[in-house]
Amino acid sequence: MNNNLNSFVVADSSKCIGCKACEIACFAVHNKNNNVGCTVGTVETAVIPRLYLVKTPSVTMPIQCRQCEDAPCAKSCSVGAIRQIDNTIVVDQKKCIGCKNCIMACPFGAIDLLPQYDNGKEVVQFNLKEESHNGLEEIVKSTAYKCDLCIDNGEQACIKTCPNNALRLVKPLDEKKYKNKKAAQALMNTTKNYKQL
Amino acid sequence: MSIINIDKELCTGCRRCANVCPVGAIKGEQGKVQTIDEHKCVVCGQCVQICSSYASQFDTEITSIDLKLKERGMLEGTKEPLFAAYNMGQVDLLKKYLSDDNKYKIVQCAPAVRVALAEEFGMEFGKLTPGKMASALKKLNFDRVYDTNFAADLTIMEEGSELIKRVTEGKNLPMFTSCCPAWVKFAETEYPEILNHLSSCKSPQQMAGTIFKTYGAEIDNIDPSTILSVAVMPCTCKQFECDREEINSSGYKDVDIVITTRELAYLIKDMGIDFINIDDEEFDKPLGEYSGAGTIFGSTGGVMEAALRTGYELITKKSIPNIDLKFVRGGQGLRTATVEVGDLNLNIAIVSGLKNVIPVIESIKEGKCDFHFIEVMTCPEGCVSGGGQPKLLIEEHRDVAYKKRKESIYDHDSNLKIRKSHENPAIKKLYDEFLKEPLGHKSHHLLHTNYVSRKEI
């Protein structure tokens, strides 16, 4: 049985300076289909990152998806738009109907529902229109956005771009083994000292 | 409103701007909104380049993006995200003038613009597009598309002659270049005691402006008072420079409006010009003709290399053995060399990054500096990395973008037929018909300037 727990990105709040470089990098690598190149001038859509800088009087750090093993967002999705691919929880934006169940289900606020863009243009809804002064008008389609660990790029843009090395990829099993070793070492040191007394 | 500003609503207090500021002009506590000490600020715009704190289109608690565009002098409908650190734009103002047929509109473009502008349209880093740029500027309704590179060649004629004069007379050595307005402002603010070491040459932008409104007006038979002189620059400090009070020796303000590389891209998009597919066009002649020496001004070491190519030949009357002076190229903050020019051993230094000039200045004050000629550029790689250049979305691209822009500058140089400023036929003609000689009466009046102490006592 696969015991390979999903990895996820966390920020160290003692290192985070709140510059939002992670948000910009996240947006840039996920919007190549919207003609976003390497410079700010190529951006013609709203900036939609998949991690969110949180700033309170006591803490500054970005929050993003934990890639939960029994993902409540996926469980709540009525159309099966959220799936696990290669140990990553991914939204299929074509299937997403914008029902917001995932937003309600996620305990971390790691999912947002915002306009969808294709080729730099807003995607309009297929079958719903809005009444206005000029008659029926098209409505922009919204879709769920969440961290996919840069599944198409192989490396996480936020981690790579952080100027203060505040972000890291947590591999839960490695984390556990590392802590086991540290605990063993600590215990050994304690026992050694004890014998000397 | 200053030229460089920090938007209080958007600043998160990360202080990355303060870390890149070469003069410590950005003040504030970590996590709090930062402010700029306008007196200290050299307007280099490196803070504009590094800032990543943007206005989210979905944040309803901040001033609307439309209002922010207006406050920043940007064009209505500009789509790119807005960041906390920004420079006050001139493009909205320029757009109004462009449709004014009573103005004779002349534009000049700095060498570093043509190696970066294409990045704003999704082309690869450093893509060289002088022809597309000239073509787009013509479509924007400019009457003459001239070039700062031409004036860079002119700067070499004057500055090279000035260096020779100073070395011969042994006066005011070392001589510093004066092309970089942020460096000039820094010297005026922090070290007025060394101002006599700065070359008295105006920068290429200002030389171009003066020549357009005098010689340029003559050859086109235009009343200079109707000329609108516009400069497209990689630099945010060039607006500060063009607004200096003493820069009006043509009888008018030499340069009226400066826009950045980024602002030119806004304008091209606003006018619906298909930059990627536009056909190449030439710059107008004669004031748009340039040599390879003029074009390398955009990179650190470029002014030095251009000056050496011409200086060597003026002094020795012989052809320079190797035109590619690779020992002055590179990226270190301070590079030094000794160059044999005839009987003279010329000690030179190239400084990039303003912090690196301080030890050099201190050594002059102690009487221990034996350089003859020093190039200083405020920005880390020279103008290619200027504050008005395309801004990168991802930090890891910074080094590669700057490297590619520099490579393109040197490629452009090596592919041009004429690579020495004094061999530029339009420069020769300008001296024959108008200026007569470098450092002559007319040159002195039009192309040279003086500096003022800005030190607070």
Side-chain angles (χ1 to χ4, degrees):
Chain A
M1 194 190 135
N2 181 9
N3 190 24
N4 196 9
L5 297 177
N6 297 349
S7 299
F8 55 98
V9 177
V10 287
D12 178 344
S13 66
S14 71
K15 286 186 181 169
C16 174
I17 53 172
C19 68
K20 288 188 171 185
C22 51
E23 288 194 10
I24 291 289
C26 174
F27 163 75
V29 299
H30 284 99
N31 280 275
K32 305 236 162 83
N33 67 321
N34 287 315
N35 312 316
V36 171
C38 297
T39 68
V40 171
T42 59
V43 178
E44 297 201 337
T45 70
V47 175
I48 299 177
R50 293 155 187 237
L51 76 172
Y52 312 100
L53 182 75
V54 174
K55 204 167 183 268
T56 72
S58 56
V59 69
T60 299
M61 65 192 289
I63 288 294
Q64 64 212 87
C65 175
R66 295 285 286 266
Q67 316 294 344
C68 303
E69 301 304 321
D70 190 11
C73 58
K75 206 183 271 180
S76 76
C77 182
S78 4
V79 293
I82 304 181
R83 287 179 298 153
Q84 175 158 322
I85 303 169
D86 295 339
N87 284 98
T88 310
I89 311 295
V90 181
V91 178
D92 180 344
Q93 297 189 330
K94 283 202 183 85
K95 278 191 181 170
C96 175
I97 56 167
C99 73
K100 301 170 283 283
N101 274 357
C102 53
I103 293 185
M104 292 170 70
C106 174
F108 307 103
I111 304 184
D112 209 345
L113 202 79
L114 289 168
Q116 190 179 347
Y117 295 89
D118 189 32
N119 199 21
K121 300 265 180 317
E122 286 170 335
V123 176
V124 292
Q125 294 204 20
F126 178 60
N127 50 7
L128 188 65
K129 288 193 164 59
E130 191 170 33
E131 191 88 53
S132 78
H133 295 304
N134 310 321
L136 286 177
E137 275 188 355
E138 285 177 323
I139 311 173
V140 176
K141 182 183 180 236
S142 285
T143 185
Y145 290 94
K146 68 175 284 301
C147 166
D148 60 3
L149 296 177
C150 294
I151 194 165
D152 295 332
N153 294 302
E155 52 183 1
Q156 291 76 36
C158 56
I159 297 177
K160 227 177 157 194
T161 212
C162 177
N164 232 25
N165 296 319
L167 292 161
R168 70 186 179 101
L169 186 71
V170 174
K171 294 179 179 165
L173 290 183
D174 291 355
E175 198 89 358
K176 174 189 168 291
K177 279 179 193 158
Y178 170 74
K179 283 181 182 162
N180 282 163
K181 280 180 190 163
K182 260 180 78 174
Q185 192 71 44
L187 205 57
M188 197 187 81
N189 290 344
T190 314
T191 326
K192 195 167 66 189
N193 292 341
Y194 179 73
K195 275 178 189 165
Q196 280 169 352
L197 281 172
Chain B
M1 175 80 74
S2 319
I3 296 175
I4 304 291
N5 305 282
I6 293 175
D7 189 325
K8 290 186 172 53
E9 278 184 331
L10 303 183
C11 178
T12 60
C14 71
R15 289 188 56 76
R16 288 175 81 204
C17 53
N19 290 335
V20 293
C21 176
V23 292
I26 299 178
K27 310 274 184 215
E29 285 172 52
Q30 186 79 39
K32 302 266 170 65
V33 171
Q34 305 293 303
T35 54
I36 299 177
D37 177 341
E38 209 180 320
H39 177 70
K40 271 195 162 184
C41 172
V42 292
V43 203
C44 69
Q46 286 303 307
C47 52
V48 174
Q49 287 292 336
I50 197 95
C51 179
S52 48
S53 185
Y54 66 98
S56 170
Q57 283 89 333
F58 307 107
D59 189 345
T60 50
E61 287 171 14
I62 57 170
T63 308
S64 78
I65 303 281
D66 291 346
L67 212 60
K68 281 193 189 291
L69 286 171
K70 212 172 191 146
E71 280 171 7
R72 296 177 178 208
M74 294 170 76
L75 297 177
E76 198 183 323
T78 300
K79 289 176 176 164
E80 69 172 45
L82 302 182
F83 292 82
Y86 67 97
N87 64 294
M88 185 62 203
Q90 299 292 318
V91 66
D92 195 34
L93 179 68
L94 173 60
K95 192 185 164 187
K96 291 184 182 93
Y97 277 119
L98 282 177
S99 52
D100 181 353
D101 288 333
N102 295 319
K103 288 276 179 199
Y104 191 76
K105 298 169 285 291
I106 299 182
V107 66
Q108 57 167 312
C109 271
V113 178
R114 70 207 66 193
V115 298
L117 178 62
E119 294 171 14
E120 294 286 63
F121 300 88
M123 294 167 96
E124 69 262 37
F125 287 131
K127 179 77 180 169
L128 176 69
T129 55
K132 285 182 190 295
M133 184 176 72
S135 182
L137 288 166
K138 285 181 183 175
K139 283 204 161 50
L140 289 173
N141 204 26
F142 281 105
D143 297 289
R144 282 278 177 262
V145 177
Y146 286 153
D147 210 319
T148 317
N149 294 20
F150 166 85
D153 282 332
L154 183 58
T155 304
I156 287 303
M157 298 303 290
E158 293 293 327
E159 197 164 329
S161 307
E162 187 185 2
L163 177 65
I164 294 167
K165 187 164 182 270
R166 287 201 196 189
V167 171
T168 317
E169 294 175 355
K171 274 188 193 160
N172 296 331
L173 292 170
M175 181 174 95
F176 285 105
T177 57
S178 55
C179 305
C180 170
W183 149 238
V184 171
K185 183 175 190 258
F186 174 73
E188 289 178 324
T189 309
E190 302 293 336
Y191 295 98
E193 62 271 31
I194 58 122
L195 288 177
N196 59 347
H197 288 273
L198 263 64
S199 160
S200 65
C201 286
K202 287 182 184 174
S203 75
Q205 166 178 287
Q206 295 306 137
M207 284 200 185
T210 314
I211 293 296
F212 296 163
K213 290 198 179 182
T214 52
Y215 180 69
E218 262 178 51
I219 55 176
D220 279 348
N221 202 14
I222 294 290
D223 174 0
S225 70
T226 65
I227 293 178
L228 180 84
S229 166
V230 179
V232 185
M233 292 285 140
C235 172
T236 44
C237 194
K238 285 285 170 186
Q239 179 67 42
F240 174 85
E241 180 182 77
C242 100
D243 287 339
R244 291 173 70 105
E245 280 177 15
E246 72 282 8
I247 306 267
N248 54 3
S249 42
S250 61
Y252 306 92
K253 195 178 176 195
D254 293 338
V255 175
D256 296 296
I257 294 182
V258 178
I259 60 166
T260 62
T261 309
R262 291 171 68 187
E263 288 179 278
L264 175 58
Y266 304 153
L267 205 52
I268 292 171
K269 286 173 194 167
D270 182 75
M271 301 291 237
I273 296 168
D274 180 2
F275 187 80
I276 292 177
N277 295 309
I278 201 170
D279 289 331
D280 285 359
E281 280 194 50
E282 301 257 308
F283 292 93
D284 288 319
K285 289 185 176 170
L287 306 180
E289 272 188 82
Y290 58 91
S291 75
T295 212
I296 57 176
F297 265 57
S299 170
T300 168
V303 180
M304 181 61 72
E305 185 167 345
L308 290 175
R309 287 180 192 175
T310 286
Y312 184 93
E313 302 201 352
L314 292 185
I315 294 175
T316 63
K317 315 280 183 221
K318 286 182 195 153
S319 189
I320 194 163
N322 183 0
I323 197 164
D324 290 302
L325 306 172
K326 294 200 171 147
F327 58 90
V328 303
R329 302 180 188 177
Q332 303 95 321
L334 176 68
R335 279 157 281 148
T336 63
T338 300
V339 193
E340 247 179 70
V341 185
D343 300 333
L344 178 72
N345 279 329
L346 198 69
N347 297 330
I348 60 159
I350 295 126
V351 180
S352 63
L354 205 48
K355 280 179 180 165
N356 300 311
V357 80
I358 296 170
V360 179
I361 295 175
E362 292 300 335
S363 76
I364 294 173
K365 284 164 68 179
E366 288 166 20
K368 289 180 183 164
C369 181
D370 61 355
F371 296 122
H372 298 102
F373 189 31
I374 305 173
E375 177 199 297
V376 184
M377 293 292 164
T378 297
C379 292
E381 296 288 345
C383 310
V384 288
S385 59
Q389 288 286 65
K391 179 178 159 84
L392 302 164
L393 286 164
I394 299 179
E395 194 50 40
E396 63 168 313
H397 286 155
R398 194 170 299 281
D399 289 346
V400 52
Y402 294 170
K403 185 170 163 274
K404 293 280 181 191
R405 291 175 194 167
K406 273 170 80 173
E407 279 172 11
S408 240
I409 283 220
Y410 288 111
D411 281 352
H412 194 30
D413 164 40
S414 56
N415 289 324
L416 288 170
K417 264 192 207 144
I418 295 169
R419 298 183 61 196
K420 300 165 192 165
S421 298
H422 59 287
E423 290 178 357
N424 178 343
I427 292 284
K428 288 184 189 169
K429 201 162 166 251
L430 174 67
Y431 278 103
D432 285 348
E433 290 181 357
F434 187 69
L435 292 171
K436 304 305 171 198
E437 56 176 345
L439 305 186
H441 178 70
K442 205 158 198 173
S443 308
H444 181 77
H445 173 62
L446 293 177
L447 307 179
H448 291 256
T449 187
N450 46 39
Y451 308 104
V452 289
S453 168
R454 296 174 193 272
K455 195 159 190 160
E456 280 179 345
I457 303 161

